[in-house]
């Protein structure tokens, strides 16, 4: 069982603490200053999905003995216009860096993550159409 705690700390700011003990401030802009204390809850969902999938891609490529040096996921998403304003579309663009990476293995790693292993993308796919692509950047 996983556990987490979310505490309101003022204005529209909250601190979430994961069962691992790691904490993050999040919330929405509030008041005249309009200062955001951190990502919004919906942004955290995108970050979690990207992080879950990036982790998978690194793991799959390393297990396949591919010389992966870096993985970045750029995410664009659209939300519904009416409440509860769930994500309708999510596009994930993977930038995979390494020396002599096999494009077929990189494509397989990304697809396996999105379609099979990443539990966050599986949950997001319940309301959103998920698409993805990738590029490989050769390093020296």
């Amino acid at each position: 069982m996983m556990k987490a705690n979310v505490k309101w700390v003022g204005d529209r700011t909250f601190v979430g603490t994961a069962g691992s003990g790691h904490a993050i401030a999040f919330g929405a802009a509030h008041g005249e200053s309009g200062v955001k204390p951190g990502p919004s809850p919906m942004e955290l969902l995108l970050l979690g999905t990207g992080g879950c999938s990036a982790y998978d891609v690194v793991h799959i490529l390393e297990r396949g003995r591919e010389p992966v040096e870096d993985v970045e996921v750029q995410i664009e998403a659209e939300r519904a216009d009416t409440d509860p304003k769930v994500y309708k579309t999510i596009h994930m663009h993977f930038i995979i860096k390494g020396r002599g990476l096999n494009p077929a293995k990189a494509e397989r790693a990304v697809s396996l993550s999105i379609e099979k292993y990443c539990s966050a993308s599986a949950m997001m796919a319940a309301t959103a159409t998920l698409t993805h692509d990738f590029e490989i950047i050769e390093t020296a």
Side-chain angles (χ1 to χ4, degrees):
M1 173 189 309
M2 296 183 77
K3 293 186 176 188
N5 185 69
V6 175
K7 179 162 178 39
W8 177 39
V9 295
D11 290 328
R12 294 297 181 268
T13 302
F14 299 83
V15 173
T17 305
S20 62
H22 294 93
I24 185 168
F26 62 95
H30 181 70
E32 291 182 24
S33 68
V35 174
K36 279 184 80 173
S40 72
M42 292 301 286
E43 289 170 326
L44 286 172
L45 289 173
L46 288 181
L47 291 172
T49 302
C52 177
S53 206
Y55 177 93
D56 288 344
V57 169
V58 169
H59 181 72
I60 293 165
L61 290 174
E62 285 182 340
R63 283 189 57 182
R65 300 194 194 308
E66 285 296 300
V68 61
E69 296 174 15
D70 188 38
V71 173
E72 178 180 341
V73 185
Q74 297 174 344
I75 306 165
E76 292 184 1
E78 252 187 89
R79 291 177 65 187
D81 293 329
T82 58
D83 288 331
K85 297 183 183 174
V86 297
Y87 285 111
K88 297 188 316 182
T89 63
I90 300 171
H91 180 75
M92 298 171 57
H93 176 70
F94 291 79
I95 302 167
I96 305 170
K97 296 179 184 177
R99 191 171 183 182
L101 288 166
N102 180 327
K105 287 184 177 182
E107 181 176 21
R108 180 178 175 273
V110 169
S111 293
L112 280 172
S113 174
I114 300 291
E115 297 164 10
K116 184 175 182 178
Y117 293 117
C118 177
S119 51
S121 65
M123 286 190 298
M124 296 295 257
T127 62
T129 300
L130 268 62
T131 57
H132 62 275
D133 60 17
F134 75 97
E135 67 179 290
I136 292 175
I137 297 178
E138 185 72 19
T139 59

